Amino acid sequence: MNAQAVQKINAWIGDGTLSRTAGEAIVQWLDDPACDAFAGEIRALVDAGNTGELEDAFSTSIAFGTGGMRGRMGPGPNRFNTLTVGRAAQGLARYLLREDGFSIGAGTGGRHNRSLGGRTGAGVVVAWDTRHNSEAFAKETARVLAANGVPVLIFDGYRSTPALSFAVRELGAAAGVVISASHNPPGDNGFKVYGPDGGQVVAPHDEGIIGEMRRVGEIRRIPFDGGIERGLIRTIDPQVDARYIDVLADLSLADARDVRLVYTPLHGVGMTSVAKSLEKLGFTDVHYVNEQVAPDGAFPTLEGGIANPEKPSAFRLGIRTAAKTGADLVLASDPDADRIGCALPLPDLGWEAAPEDLVLNGHQIGALLCHYILGRKKASGTLPSRGLFCKTAVTSDLAALIARSHDLEVVDDLPVGFKHVGAAIDRMPADMTFVFGTEESHGYLADARIRDKEAATGILLAEYAALVKQDNRTLRDELDDIYRKYGYFREVQRSVALPGAEGARRIEGIMADLRESPPEHIGGRTVYRVIDRMSGQARDLRMGTTVSVAGERVNILVFTFSEAGHTRVIVRPSGTEPTIKYYVSASSVDLGGTRISTGDQDGNRTAIDSLAESVLDAMIELCAGKPTHHERH
């Protein structure tokens, strides 16, 4: 061990620059042979006197949340590295080998109620994306699982997250792991766990895995090549990829292909799924953003390295390519290809406009996909007699209205996170068929053979555009028709960061005060109802009555401004960041008990847009004045 480094660390502990917890953890990592690979980076931080980074990296451990863990790469227990990945894999192995571990239920290749019970089924499927070190972390996961006697099925290269979901089900596997941080910054990575149904793990399995991780002492490993030689680690047959692409091609609902589109994988894995499905379906006029086709975990062409199709700035090069080629639309997927975004030209300006004016939001894409899928299935007679539509609570009600108009059974109050859509599918009765699921953050699914959001669902936007193009129409025309039929909807969202212990207390205080003393007016609008998803109670502030509401207990408060509840504001603390989030949905439908005329579309949009922004500003201002937890007690 470097005595000079230890001397510095002890001095920092002595003068309070570094906490004792962090200092002792740094010394332990420097002294542990298992951490030799990180010693150089740690000493460099010590030599540079970077106590802020050292404190953050070593004072606590990276959290394993309900679906896995995600964080910055680097040395330390609060960073994503081979040691923290190994601990997660060891905890997963322990859980799989427990007598009461996962059961493989109906829907996974016909294998019914086969408890692992100390066995490991067909093993664990492991996948990774194009981020820096993802392959190394995937192989570390495989080494640990195999060392514990859990067989591993691993892809021969990077794949999409939904491809992992499909493979788990297709292979009848016990579980799945994908190494990806989705659209996080380039310095992050993640470890996400999937159950035997192909969906992200939910209660009680998530708590069970977390509990086993906390009990991990020794991390068992074998060499990766040794695992292959012993047959404990096997490469997945390419036929699984072929069957996955066949499922994506099955999404098609029309033969129209005469459309010019631009597609970009934003340096991620989308060429293995979105691009291949476009090719399989016969779309020939496809232009790729050449600068972003090559996989690159630095995401160098994107602002701040953020490869997120929710952000209009991510479409900058795609829009430029569309302007050059005269394209009808642009599609963009995130690094692990589970989210899809879409940009459309404007009627008068074409592509010569700001990206934020060209890019659709997640609610609009969900409405278009829902309208297209249900309309085509109804016309062809393939809409099931008992079909299921799902959405999260913070997603616009517009798609739910479309689903109800087609007589689907609607689950519209799921907690945030697409894993809850997967869980809802798993709970379906045998006579029900899943048709479509959507969430506001650009997640969509239209086939239950996959149990996570699927970027390749966006191929239906290309098909839809080609179909209406035959009548000299565009997807913007279709969206306008949807608004005319179902009402205009506008959604806005904002996150307010409140970091540190004081921030956590303030968030707790805000939620507690809103529960105990809910506002009767927000931005001059009367609050009809307060729905507390934590207690499962809905209070009518006008009548003074309270009723129970169904659904999972989550820390969400909903304030509605109409009887129907389409116009509302939702407040919830983030489960992964030190932020409190505000979601506003405003609609021309039954606003304040009076329906606004849908004849004046432009006037409606201006009024509703203004309402959404004013309610958002008012709610944030109201919460800014709430006391912290310690001020209340």
Side-chain angles (χ1 to χ4, degrees), residues 70-123:
R70 191 183 297 183
R72 286 170 54 194
M73 290 181 281
N78 194 33
R79 293 290 181 264
F80 200 91
N81 50 61
T82 50
L83 285 182
T84 51
V85 167
R87 181 171 296 276
Q90 183 69 42
L92 175 60
R94 288 170 58 104
Y95 185 71
L96 290 169
L97 294 166
R98 272 175 27 174
E99 288 298 318
D100 58 345
F102 283 123
S103 292
I104 300 178
T108 52
R111 300 161 177 82
H112 298 278
N113 300 319
R114 179 163 59 82
S115 174
L116 290 173
R119 294 169 284 124
T120 53

Side-chain angles (χ1 to χ4, degrees), residues 159-180:
R159 293 296 192 281
S160 71
T161 291
L164 177 281
S165 173
F166 172 81
V168 169
R169 294 176 58 79
E170 181 72 7
L171 298 171
V177 173
V178 63
I179 303 297
S180 171

Side-chain angles (χ1 to χ4, degrees), residues 293-618:
V293 166
D296 191 333
F299 311 117
T301 64
L302 294 153
E303 184 179 313
I306 305 298
N308 185 356
E310 295 177 74
K311 293 186 173 295
S313 60
F315 282 80
R316 183 177 57 86
L317 292 182
I319 290 170
R320 190 174 73 183
T321 304
K324 288 180 180 178
T325 59
D328 298 300
L329 74 161
V330 179
L331 297 176
S333 56
D334 66 342
D336 65 329
D338 61 356
R339 300 169 194 252
I340 193 73
C342 177
L344 300 172
L346 294 176
D348 299 325
L349 299 175
W351 295 107
E352 301 302 320
E356 54 266 27
D357 295 325
L358 301 172
V359 176
L360 300 182
N361 65 42
H363 308 277
Q364 293 170 321
I365 294 173
L368 279 168
L369 286 169
C370 188
H371 185 258
Y372 177 65
I373 291 167
L374 302 191
R376 293 295 296 177
K377 285 181 177 290
K378 183 177 182 179
S380 64
T382 57
L383 195 64
S385 58
R386 192 179 183 196
L388 177 66
F389 165 89
C390 302
K391 79 170 188 69
T392 59
V394 299
T395 302
S396 170
D397 287 342
L398 179 54
L401 290 176
I402 297 169
R404 285 191 173 95
S405 75
H406 286 80
D407 298 323
L408 265 65
E409 297 195 28
V410 171
V411 177
D412 60 359
D413 60 350
L414 294 171
V416 175
F418 209 87
K419 64 184 178 182
H420 298 289
V421 174
I425 297 171
D426 210 41
R427 294 191 297 266
M428 284 190 314
D431 64 341
M432 183 178 286
T433 302
F434 171 74
V435 180
F436 186 62
T438 178
E439 69 172 359
E440 45 85 30
S441 56
H442 291 241
Y444 316 100
L445 182 64
D447 193 305
R449 286 174 287 183
I450 301 164
R451 292 295 173 86
D452 205 351
K453 52 188 178 289
E454 170 61 83
T457 310
I459 61 179
L460 292 177
L461 292 173
E463 182 176 282
Y464 192 3
L467 191 66
V468 299
K469 187 178 180 180
Q470 295 174 352
D471 297 322
N472 294 316
R473 290 173 56 81
T474 70
L475 292 184
R476 288 196 183 275
D477 296 326
E478 292 292 301
L479 189 58
D480 286 341
D481 281 355
I482 291 171
Y483 288 147
R484 275 188 283 271
K485 183 173 182 179
Y486 297 99
Y488 178 66
F489 282 73
R490 171 68 172 176
E491 298 78 24
V492 291
Q493 185 263 331
R494 196 177 303 164
S495 298
V496 177
L498 295 169
E502 177 63 23
R505 285 192 293 269
R506 181 160 293 281
I507 291 172
E508 186 178 351
I510 289 170
M511 298 301 290
D513 197 66
L514 288 174
R515 285 188 165 95
E516 293 176 19
S517 304
E520 295 182 0
H521 298 85
I522 301 173
R525 293 278 171 177
T526 299
V527 177
Y528 275 46
R529 189 177 296 108
V530 181
I531 304 168
D532 184 353
R533 294 294 302 279
M534 183 69 81
S535 67
Q537 299 289 312
R539 294 171 58 185
D540 189 317
L541 298 187
R542 301 162 302 156
M543 305 297 293
T545 56
T546 300
V547 297
S548 297
V549 291
E552 187 173 338
R553 299 290 185 260
V554 289
N555 194 10
I556 289 177
L557 287 170
V558 185
F559 302 85
T560 69
F561 301 94
S562 67
E563 194 64 44
H566 301 309
T567 299
R568 60 177 178 259
V569 57
I570 294 177
V571 185
R572 77 172 185 96
S574 170
T576 56
E577 301 168 320
T579 61
I580 186 165
K581 298 192 172 188
Y582 302 89
Y583 304 80
V584 173
S585 179
S587 173
S588 62
V589 180
D590 294 331
L591 181 58
T594 303
R595 184 176 181 86
I596 295 177
S597 168
T598 56
D600 178 13
Q601 282 292 302
D602 291 337
N604 277 347
R605 295 188 188 200
T606 300
I608 299 302
D609 291 351
S610 176
L611 170 63
E613 294 289 349
S614 65
V615 168
L616 180 63
D617 290 341

Side-chain angles (χ1 to χ4, degrees), residues 73 80 128-138 179 189:
M73 290 181 281
F80 200 91
W128 71 91
D129 70 2
T130 62
R131 284 180 176 270
H132 293 321
N133 304 315
S134 282
E135 182 175 358
F137 293 139
I179 303 297
N189 218 321

